[in-house]
Amino acid sequence: MKREKPQLIINGRRLDGRAPQDLRPIKIEVGVLKNADGSAIVEIGNTKVLAAVYGPREVVPKHQEQIDRAIIRCRYRMLSFSTPGERKSPAPSRREIELSKVIREALEPAILSYQFPRTAIDIYVEVINADGGTRTAGITAASLALADAGIPMLDLVAAVAVGKVNGVIVLDLNEVEDMYGEADMPVAAMPSLKRITMLQLNGVLTPDEFRQALALALDGINRIYQLQKDALRRKYVEASE
Amino acid sequence: MKREKPQLIINGRRLDGRAPQDLRPIKIEVGVLKNADGSAIVEIGNTKVLAAVYGPREVVPKHQEQIDRAIIRCRYRMLSFSTPGERKSPAPSRREIELSKVIREALEPAILSYQFPRTAIDIYVEVINADGGTRTAGITAASLALADAGIPMLDLVAAVAVGKVNGVIVLDLNEVEDMYGEADMPVAAMPSLKRITMLQLNGVLTPDEFRQALALALDGINRIYQLQKDALRRKYVEASE
Amino acid sequence: MKREKPQLIINGRRLDGRAPQDLRPIKIEVGVLKNADGSAIVEIGNTKVLAAVYGPREVVPKHQEQIDRAIIRCRYRMLSFSTPGERKSPAPSRREIELSKVIREALEPAILSYQFPRTAIDIYVEVINADGGTRTAGITAASLALADAGIPMLDLVAAVAVGKVNGVIVLDLNEVEDMYGEADMPVAAMPSLKRITMLQLNGVLTPDEFRQALALALDGINRIYQLQKDALRRKYVEASE
Amino acid sequence: MSVTPETPIIPKVKRDAILNVLSKGFHIDKRPLYSYRNIEIVKNVAPNADSSVLVKLGHTQVLAGIKLEIGQPFPDNPDEGVLIVNAEYVPAASPSFEPGPPDENAIELARVIDRSLREPRVVALDKLAIIPGKKVWVIWLDIYILDHDGNLVDASMIGAMLALAQLKLPRIDVDPNTGEIKIDKSQRETPLPLNRYVATVTVYKIEDILLIDPTAEEEAMATASITMAITEEGNIGGIQKRGLGYFEEKEFDRIVEISLSKGKELIELIKQYTK
Amino acid sequence: MSVTPETPIIPKVKRDAILNVLSKGFHIDKRPLYSYRNIEIVKNVAPNADSSVLVKLGHTQVLAGIKLEIGQPFPDNPDEGVLIVNAEYVPAASPSFEPGPPDENAIELARVIDRSLREPRVVALDKLAIIPGKKVWVIWLDIYILDHDGNLVDASMIGAMLALAQLKLPRIDVDPNTGEIKIDKSQRETPLPLNRYVATVTVYKIEDILLIDPTAEEEAMATASITMAITEEGNIGGIQKRGLGYFEEKEFDRIVEISLSKGKELIELIKQYTK
Amino acid sequence: MSVTPETPIIPKVKRDAILNVLSKGFHIDKRPLYSYRNIEIVKNVAPNADSSVLVKLGHTQVLAGIKLEIGQPFPDNPDEGVLIVNAEYVPAASPSFEPGPPDENAIELARVIDRSLREPRVVALDKLAIIPGKKVWVIWLDIYILDHDGNLVDASMIGAMLALAQLKLPRIDVDPNTGEIKIDKSQRETPLPLNRYVATVTVYKIEDILLIDPTAEEEAMATASITMAITEEGNIGGIQKRGLGYFEEKEFDRIVEISLSKGKELIELIKQYTK
């Protein structure tokens, strides 16, 4: 977090006009690619993330295979022009390597991997435009792409970040709030099972603020969950028309 | 192509004294290495290229194997001191990666790959000195190395570049003509079958110029083809003496 | 070797007070890691090297396997903060790649590799602090780690460098003597069999100086050999107490 | 090493069916052999890019985006801006694409697009010097193949051309004292100076049949292809033959004819979308 | 690609035995579930480092070392020093670690340590500028896992914290004419300026049991873990959930409680060793 | 990781036959054990190099070439030029060589050549400063093994030595105002200043037999080798033992004797070719 903190909340409103507990506008589309077994695009504010899933399929290289379960492979990646500022180098950054793991581990608890021994389920998360919340949008999109691919899951996984900005706990940080805020806490959960599958905190919170932030995140996750289900229903209805 | 175009043709003659339709002096030697199954050196003007072939041999790594044919593997590479100017970094450049593919695809149509299932034929093209036309000299040399290795082919492949220099269509560009000319068009063909296996154009030609250039290239290819056959005959005769 | 040679021997004594034929103080500990099959730390002066051994174990990747013997795999590496001056990049340097080979070849003649076909014996040499003689300390430590792992050997391998400093042949060069001396000659041997398994020379010696240096090295190696045996005995006694 | 790719296995029944349709002059989706699929353009898909466009050519999807930076010119062209083209086959785009740095196919694609822009001088690089010899505009053009249903080069070239044509240069201020240059991306006025439009037309060969814009299924049956970059003026600004097969000398008249006519068509289309 | 790791196979008998002990409130080595193993600290193990420390947490061994250099600040923080954290799982440390560049586990470890230092502003980076905007202290903190017997994050954080707390800045002389800066490492006076101490506490979950500081054997049975960085002041300065499993919402009160109390304990310990 | 190489399989009949010949004091090609094969030198094979030479030692072929650049000196030797030696085993040279960056064998070869040149100060690097402390000659010496029929080190060293001895420095002009240095490669006058000539002699051990210059077939039977760099003055300027085997203490008198005598021979030969 940087030192110079611009005023990000004025008269109880954030710079983009939202109240602290508001999500940004969300647009979800499922089944956007022809070749992938499953795919989805999630837009939340100016953040736009594409997720694609292949599998269960044969494991290459073979030595990665596990005899009792499907392996999950996941890559999170930012396209070179997706970020503000200079062109991002296409070489995987340490951040991208970490987030690929974090996203995989956010999804693993939901996937019924033991139904598909000796196979791989590949998840590709491509960030098309980054304006805060790309990992959480990526998880939300990837879980839909898994559903679109027909992979059995205990529940969808939905995700959103909460944070602390000018001393206020707020939902769904955008890039400016993430950069100049005091804390950023991305959370993922299987909403109907109340299981938290991802939790990170960058920044400092008191124990009380942490509890408050976690509650707000779960509330936001429930709202996103409804949109996920709508999007799947929409695709199903369209397909069966 | 650069903007400052020096006068490259004066009184119908090129800077090295050639007429537009002239090839540079060519020297071909077949069977120049002990270990390789086949090898050849082609010198054309100051360009000097060594090609070596191993195979058909076992495929390592095994997963590259194809059950119904031999795979062709090809690497085109410039030695670090082969170019004018600074030392060339030994890391494969994007140009070298592209040309490895282009040379492979120039040779593939000639090789009877289906006679050797589950094997590999490896072609190494090493540019010792680069003065224009290294890819075409590489194809000419590689096709001889394949013949020297006893790999059955429909025909030899011979190659040469044509181009446009000071508005004139010329055969067999050297480095200066390539650098300052208006267009450079390398062509490879199986001469006796009139099949074109490689064609690239860097630069701009009118449709008429293109047809004229292609005809001149095929004429040059036929002349090189004769020299290839002479070189093979020479080696065969020497060997049987 | 650098040109400015400071006075390194004054009144027959080296800068650290040693006579030419003196070793630095040596501390050896065997069995310092829980997970490794064998391990040892060797300190000689301010040089400190950790060696760990795993094996004989299954060979991954499988294609490295040899049907009639164990393969030895060895990596010599300097930790990023182990050297004087700037932080060492963690990418393997050409020096580290060479020394990994040199250390492996110093140990190979002692290991009864043919008793364990189709397996691998892995040796990791980690330089914790570098003050001259890291490769020789690494060999001394690795041979103890092999013994600690129960790998059968013809003999232990012990190693030390000799050199020429201000015209004098000296034993066990430290960093300053290595840097400013006229020659540095690391030697490894199986002491009881009088077999020399490693020999390098950086610098210039007359044939006579070479013979003198080699003799001094073998003398030092014998002294280190006694310390190796003591350390093993100590561990064995402690373990059986 | 460049390695012979695995040949996709096409069942004989299907192969014969496709050949049958093609021999009647139609694609398997009923288009005539020399007509492109429906082209859909979505502009500004990545607002953080200086220019971006999504091209859908049938089910093929290509995302082209540009980042502008200020950098140094190449020493041999000190007074010109710099254009750098990269391409990547995103693993989402096909079950056969793998994650990792661009392979030879992606590198070849990028280099063919690069030459098709560079040789006919599409971008007026000579107008992109800021401080001649020292500071120039650097255009990073990145092409991502998102969904592969055939004919990637032509789709990529449409994306590249549109991304360039849409690009507006941001305002820059050169501090006269320090010489430092600041970009103000909130202000964009000047369109990128272009000399001409170019399109590529790739002619594929399946058995003896020449055709354009195949689907992935058709493309898998092609033995070779030839890409021609066609300029507004009707010239050929670049050629690349690809594939394990060959072309016969006599086929070139037809190839040039098709390329010139379809190239003109594509350029018209690109110009319409540019407005 | 991040790939599901191989699950270590634990025989059912052993598994049951461990669960039985854990369910009674004890680790397999008889400690209570919420107590750390014995911690041993060896200072200055690598004299060529500017600071170094070996941490033994039970049989887990971690070596942390620092190299100081003078370098350029990051453009967005021109007046601050630079802290760079790297971690490596040395192949000596476990039969399952392989030589090579840091994998995702090592990268995640380094980034968790980095954030646990950076977000609570442990190091007063604002006091590490030498020539503001141009020359600052660069702290390279490297963490090597030498022996893996569980709970690597907490052990690494103790090592990182101690290596920083022990570090004394060498004297520097700035040549007023050339502006060149010379470091005189023989003279060390000023301790590195720190704002506060921080420790991480990692809570692991085995079936429904929460515990800290597992051995490698226990850790292999955990489905998930959550690391909290705890500051001197009792705040949470970073969180990272890891593993294939999940936590339930209701478990968090307990996790926070454990982390705060054990974090305080560890900070006391670190402070003692710093004296 | 350095890994035990695969041992080439030599049929027992052949092995016995070779041993039989060797034990009589001859190579399989009928030379005495301590004589080199025929050496053929082709100069200036790569005119774009600043110096190049092809060395044929029997069927072994090594191509050595030099590129000169102007660059910065090493900080610890500000007044000296820079010599950088690289080596590559071209995959054309042997069925067992693979394409890719230099492996440990190529790196060791390059480093042995480098030390054999550097330690006896073959090149007078102190005469290669252009602007002391700032600009010096950088000599890139690249060695390519084109055909491997044994004894690569000695062949490479002959190539390295000849490439250096043939090299003429191009004229340079230092612009007094800008300080820019221009190389005029069309004008070459000054030979590279050398202090002395050096050759390496590699003694191989097959069973108990010592020999030099083996063919690849013989070399595959050697358990160890020792390379000694011999200077004009008869000193030893570098040593490297290689291979899975060992030497006995008592063998060294003989090894030194052979190396001194054959080294002298090779230096004579190199000098002849230099004229």
Side-chain angles (χ1 to χ4, degrees), chain C residues 34-35 48 54 77 83 129, chain E residues 45 48 67 88 92 147-148:
Chain C
K34 180 185 187 234
N35 284 323
K48 191 181 302 183
Y54 283 90
R77 201 257 304 249
T83 55
N129 207 64
Chain E
V45 285
N48 281 332
K67 274 287 187 186
E88 215 184 295
D147 212 354
H148 171 24

Side-chain angles (χ1 to χ4, degrees), chain A residues 32 36 44 63 100-101 105 120 134 153 165 169 172 192 212 239:
Chain A
V32 295
I44 179 159
H63 71 84
S100 296
K101 177 173 186 286
E105 293 183 342
T134 60
M153 289 189 286
V165 169
I169 302 299
D172 185 20
S192 61
Q212 194 190 333

Side-chain angles (χ1 to χ4, degrees), chain C residues 131-146:
Chain C
D131 189 41
T134 60
R135 86 192 69 182
T136 46
I139 291 167
T140 302
S143 126
L144 287 166
L146 286 163

Side-chain angles (χ1 to χ4, degrees), chain F residues 175-196:
Chain F
D175 185 312
N177 299 319
T178 65
E180 239 180 299
I181 300 172
K182 278 180 197 158
I183 306 184
D184 178 2
K185 290 208 172 179
S186 67
Q187 307 240 26
R188 293 177 180 275
E189 293 144 11
T190 342
L192 181 71
L194 299 186
N195 290 317
R196 61 181 53 78

Side-chain angles (χ1 to χ4, degrees), chain C residues 32-36 46 48 50 52 54 57 75 77 79-87 90 124 126 128-131, chain E residues 45-49 59 61 63-65 67 69 86 88 90-95 99-100 140 142 144 146-149:
Chain C
V32 296
L33 300 178
K34 180 185 187 234
N35 284 323
N46 279 321
K48 191 181 302 183
L50 168 69
Y54 283 90
R57 62 177 173 182
R75 188 183 72 167
R77 201 257 304 249
L79 301 192
S80 60
F81 44 73
S82 67
T83 55
E86 298 214 328
R87 174 182 187 259
Y124 302 108
E126 307 284 347
I128 293 171
N129 207 64
D131 189 41
Chain E
V45 285
N48 281 332
H59 287 295
Q61 289 192 51
L63 182 53
K67 274 287 187 186
E69 293 177 9
N86 281 290
E88 215 184 295
V90 169
S94 163
W140 289 94
D142 283 281
Y144 291 96
L146 296 187
D147 212 354
H148 171 24
D149 194 25

Side-chain angles (χ1 to χ4, degrees), chain E residues 212-270:
Chain E
I212 62 164
D213 196 29
T215 64
E217 222 171 14
E218 293 169 338
E219 196 175 299
M221 286 174 58
T223 52
S225 75
I226 198 147
T227 296
M228 291 205 172
I230 302 298
T231 70
E232 275 191 87
E233 299 87 352
N235 289 325
I236 303 171
I239 302 181
Q240 185 91 340
K241 177 260 173 183
R242 289 177 299 145
L244 302 188
Y246 58 87
F247 286 94
E248 293 186 44
E249 202 184 329
K250 60 182 185 208
E251 288 171 320
F252 277 93
D253 282 344
R254 184 85 186 101
I255 290 167
V256 170
E257 189 193 322
I258 297 166
S259 300
L260 289 172
S261 115
K262 304 316 286 186
K264 203 175 157 188
E265 230 179 89
L266 288 178
I267 290 171
E268 285 312 308
L269 185 106
I270 293 168

Side-chain angles (χ1 to χ4, degrees), chain B residues 32-36 46 48 50 52 54 57 75 77 79-87 90 124 126 128-131, chain F residues 45-49 59 61 63-65 67 69 86 88 90-95 99-100 140 142 144 146-149:
Chain B
V32 294
L33 300 179
K34 180 187 187 235
N35 283 322
N46 279 322
K48 191 183 301 185
L50 168 69
Y54 283 91
R57 63 177 171 181
R75 189 182 73 167
R77 202 257 304 249
L79 300 192
S80 60
F81 43 72
S82 66
T83 55
E86 298 214 328
R87 175 182 186 258
Y124 302 107
E126 307 284 347
I128 292 171
N129 207 64
D131 189 41
Chain F
V45 285
N48 281 332
H59 287 296
Q61 290 191 52
L63 181 54
K67 273 286 187 185
E69 293 178 11
N86 282 290
E88 215 185 296
V90 168
S94 163
W140 290 93
D142 283 280
Y144 291 96
L146 296 187
D147 212 354
H148 170 23
D149 194 25

